[in-house]
Amino acid sequence: MSSTGPSFPVSFSDIDVECWGGIKEDKRCEFAQAGEEVRGLLPDSMIHRWALDKANLKRANPEDGASKLYRPILDPYEFRLLELKPGEHNDALQGSLHHCSLELVAIESENNPITWRTPDEERYTWKFALPVNNLTAPMQYTALSYSWGPPVFEGKISCDGHEKAITRSLETALRHFRKEDCSVVFWIDQICINQDDNGEKESQIPLMSSIYRHSLNTVIWLGEASPGSDLAIRLLEDINVLLQFNNSSISPEDFERWGLPQADSESWKALWSLLGRSWFSRLWIIQEVILSTSPWAMCGYDCISWSKLSTSCYHLVTCGISRWLQQTQAPIQDARTRTNDQGDLCQLASGLGEVKEQCGQGQSGPPLLGLLVKTRHAQCYDARDRIYGLLGVCYHGDAAAVRVSYAQEYTAASLFHDMALHYLQPKPGSPINNVLTCVDHESPDLPSWVPDWRLPRETESLGYSSFSRNIYHATGTRSPPVSERVQITNIEERSQLSIRGILVDKLVRTSDQFIEPDLTYVNSLSENRALLAAYSFVSSNLDLFSPVKEHGVFSSFWHTLVAGQDAGGMVRCPESYAEIFSLLLDETTGQSPSLPDQTYSLRQLRPKGKGRLEVASLESRTAGRSFQDVRAALRRVTRNRRLGITSKGYLGLFPRYCKNGDLLYLVEGCHVPFLLRPAGDIEGGHRLVGECYVHGIMDGEALKLESADKADIVLV
């Protein structure tokens, strides 16, 4: 790391933002340097009038609080910055805390080059904070985004004569950032916020968006360098250039033609390892990246701009290489049957890049509920932060509805309950569908209809996405109407939700849960355990299918195993999936046909050697791609669900918590059916078990039943 850095210019007109605020040509990240004050910048009359109001705050003399590290924060716009003192790499860390204000903001306008407003303005021209002990001397700083690691504080830093314990990961980062000949200024949550003061944390959370927007830049600390991490960063740099004009799928056989490393290159392994670092799984990184003007990622002393990193991941997703990486980098030996709990690591960075670009165009932030759905995998130590960590980037109307409190009596369950009620208020769209399709757990401290954001989702939602409205129309062919009646009937506890729906059927038989379902054409007889389990369940209950023979056993079987969706869950599954299932089912069971009504395509009926579709054909590019699509769809929708058969003979996919006797309902305002369970302790009450797919009623067929009358339902 270079020991020199940029010095403060005399005025902001001297700043070359592209060069001065970010990365120099040697690609080493530069940080805001503490030094000469910015002079000649502020309009004296305006700044002094504003400063006089601040003088009325009775601030303690810094020397009076010498016995404590943290002096109180008195103003809603006040926060602290850390000045990291110079030193060599192994020297003890030394720093000083400065109290600053974010209330005054410089922005440009057509009539006035610089005007001064408060932080409700969206456009920030210059990046600085104002020290409260000298409101005319702007102070620039770098925000740090990093992974805390385990809450074990084995590192330390001396601040203003007080020793503060910090995590080892932060201590390592600061040693990499420290310069030998000058101080650098950071905002770091672990040090700049008194983490032992819940009241202070509550007051600082609303400032997060301003803190990151005012920072000169943001450095993302991925951790120390490891073998191959430099290769991974160079590969991301190359991908950003090599794939920028590509719109087609790329298979490993095409890598050389595109100038990419061979499929067995260590660079791919190193890339997946880099993207799997703990920083990418943190919840707080979402708003840190989105709000930052110039974020850069560092691993050891290697550096890459966030823009290049996220764009490269976007290219990897769109061309299909990320799916190949997910399949080949999992820790199981056979690449054709392996599973990977990490998911698509490229998708996270790519998605963050898209949201950041959207916010950068001045658009309103996305709904909080949508962000909660997308970030359910993310980690934080306090479950309430699953919501608080998104307030800086979500739609302002949702943020305003959130009560920020770390009080012991205001639990995460209370917060999640409040947010569910907020979203169930009458508004455009289908709020009840969006809330109910997020329910994925049985949590005793929550009403059954409130999603529990403490736990990562264990199933892929069938009905949440906007695409699903093009696939399912259980309550009619058009988009479901907003529910006519969504009311809270237990006013005191707000635990009972009154809705309207139609009772369709009852669940009478269920299979075992699909834990890690997969599909393979290698050793099908022994390895296709999920397909064999599904076949065994259906074949042993053929007598229950008689009431709905018009749907066909085989057609119900394969449609249900992909929930009627294609590989991406964006459109209905093509009928071509039938021949893949027919081929693999016979190969797995050793029978032909394996199920009643089973169909065979013309390719399957051709003579051997004459273009017949066989298991070996799935190694080819065209047939192999169809197989991979079927496999992806099956794995996605059946994981942690059960097959079930209803009393009327319908086959479907149901929540893992389902039981015989659970009731199948169509809910007004929703386009997928739900499974409900009578609550014996409350008259007329039902508990929500979850969303489901039932072949034969997903296009409004159940509305034609004689018993299809709407009735009030009370969810508890």
Side-chain angles (χ1 to χ4, degrees), residues 479-497:
S479 298
V482 176
S483 179
E484 297 174 1
R485 179 179 177 182
V486 177
Q487 296 180 347
I488 301 299
T489 57
N490 185 328
I491 302 299
E492 183 176 350
E493 297 181 3
R494 305 177 305 162
S495 59
Q496 297 179 12
L497 183 70

Side-chain angles (χ1 to χ4, degrees), residues 201-202 204-210 213 283-284 286-288 291 365-369 371-372 384-406 415 419:
K201 288 197 293 183
E202 293 164 10
Q204 291 289 284
I205 283 177
L207 273 184
M208 291 294 188
S209 58
S210 293
R213 285 192 174 111
L283 183 125
W284 285 97
I286 297 162
Q287 74 170 11
E288 293 168 1
L291 295 174
L368 178 57
L369 183 63
L371 287 173
L372 286 168
R384 290 168 290 193
D385 287 339
R386 290 198 169 276
I387 289 179
Y388 299 157
L390 301 172
L391 297 183
V393 293
C394 72
Y395 169 61
H396 63 85
D398 291 341
V402 174
R403 173 188 172 189
V404 179
S405 173
Y406 286 101
L415 176 61
M419 289 313 300

Side-chain angles (χ1 to χ4, degrees), residues 525-536:
L525 200 60
S526 59
E527 296 296 330
N528 261 335
R529 291 181 287 273
L531 185 61
L532 186 60
Y535 162 76
S536 298

Side-chain angles (χ1 to χ4, degrees), residues 369 373 376 433-440 451 453 457 464:
L369 183 63
V373 170
R376 218 161 164 169
N433 177 85
N434 293 344
V435 172
L436 298 189
T437 53
C438 289
V439 173
D440 189 45
W453 305 109
R457 181 151 193 150
Y464 177 82

Side-chain angles (χ1 to χ4, degrees), residues 399-691:
V402 174
R403 173 188 172 189
V404 179
S405 173
Y406 286 101
Q408 187 174 359
E409 62 274 12
Y410 192 61
T411 64
S414 301
L415 176 61
F416 301 159
H417 194 172
D418 285 347
M419 289 313 300
L421 291 172
H422 164 68
Y423 266 100
L424 288 171
Q425 299 301 314
K427 62 184 68 175
S430 300
I432 186 171
N433 177 85
N434 293 344
V435 172
L436 298 189
T437 53
C438 289
V439 173
D440 189 45
H441 298 87
E442 288 188 328
S443 302
D445 58 343
L446 284 171
S448 66
W449 46 271
V450 176
D452 190 348
W453 305 109
R454 290 168 294 196
L455 303 169
R457 181 151 193 150
E458 296 188 7
T459 60
E460 182 80 13
S461 178
L462 299 175
Y464 177 82
S465 75
S466 58
F467 298 110
S468 68
R469 291 173 175 80
N470 301 323
I471 303 173
Y472 307 132
H473 312 99
T475 53
T477 56
R478 298 181 179 180
S479 298
V482 176
S483 179
E484 297 174 1
R485 179 179 177 182
V486 177
Q487 296 180 347
I488 301 299
T489 57
N490 185 328
I491 302 299
E492 183 176 350
E493 297 181 3
R494 305 177 305 162
S495 59
Q496 297 179 12
L497 183 70
S498 177
I499 59 177
R500 294 182 67 82
I502 298 171
L503 175 61
V504 174
D505 209 342
K506 180 169 67 175
L507 190 62
V508 297
R509 201 71 53 86
T510 57
S511 73
D512 292 335
Q513 178 181 338
F514 292 104
I515 304 296
E516 288 294 345
D518 209 342
L519 199 62
T520 181
Y521 55 82
V522 179
N523 300 324
S524 299
L525 200 60
S526 59
E527 296 296 330
N528 261 335
R529 291 181 287 273
L531 185 61
L532 186 60
Y535 162 76
S536 298
F537 173 74
V538 170
S539 61
S540 63
N541 291 287
L542 289 176
D543 58 309
L544 297 176
F545 283 88
S546 55
V548 287
K549 282 186 176 180
E550 68 271 16
H551 294 292
V553 174
F554 177 69
S555 179
S556 296
F557 177 80
W558 76 261
H559 276 95
T560 299
L561 288 182
V562 294
Q565 301 182 5
D566 74 336
M570 297 184 180
V571 296
R572 295 191 181 196
C573 57
E575 289 298 316
S576 59
Y577 282 13
E579 69 172 0
I580 300 295
F581 274 106
S582 183
L583 174 68
L584 291 176
L585 186 58
D586 286 356
E587 185 71 18
T588 300
T589 64
Q591 303 178 45
S592 181
S594 300
L595 288 174
D597 314 311
Q598 186 168 338
T599 58
Y600 295 92
S601 67
L602 291 177
R603 292 198 299 173
Q604 289 177 271
L605 298 175
R606 289 173 182 168
K608 287 187 177 182
K610 300 294 184 179
R612 180 174 178 175
L613 180 68
E614 299 177 301
V615 171
S617 306
L618 302 183
E619 293 277 6
S620 67
R621 176 171 296 187
T622 303
R625 187 168 297 169
S626 296
F627 163 75
Q628 291 296 343
D629 286 347
V630 170
R631 178 190 179 214
L634 179 144
R635 291 175 61 185
R636 184 167 49 78
V637 302
T638 61
R639 186 174 69 92
N640 289 326
R641 286 191 168 98
R642 301 175 189 268
L643 285 176
I645 303 176
T646 70
S647 63
K648 296 178 181 177
Y650 292 104
L651 179 68
L653 273 177
F654 297 93
R656 64 192 182 283
Y657 297 121
C658 67
K659 296 178 181 179
N660 293 341
D662 288 343
L663 303 177
L664 184 65
Y665 271 90
L666 300 183
V667 175
E668 187 179 75
C670 303
H671 56 277
V672 294
F674 289 88
L675 206 62
L676 307 183
R677 182 175 302 152
D681 54 336
I682 298 177
E683 183 178 356
H686 293 76
R687 291 190 63 82
L688 175 67
V689 182
E691 61 178 355

Side-chain angles (χ1 to χ4, degrees), residues 181 221 335:
D181 58 354
W221 174 247

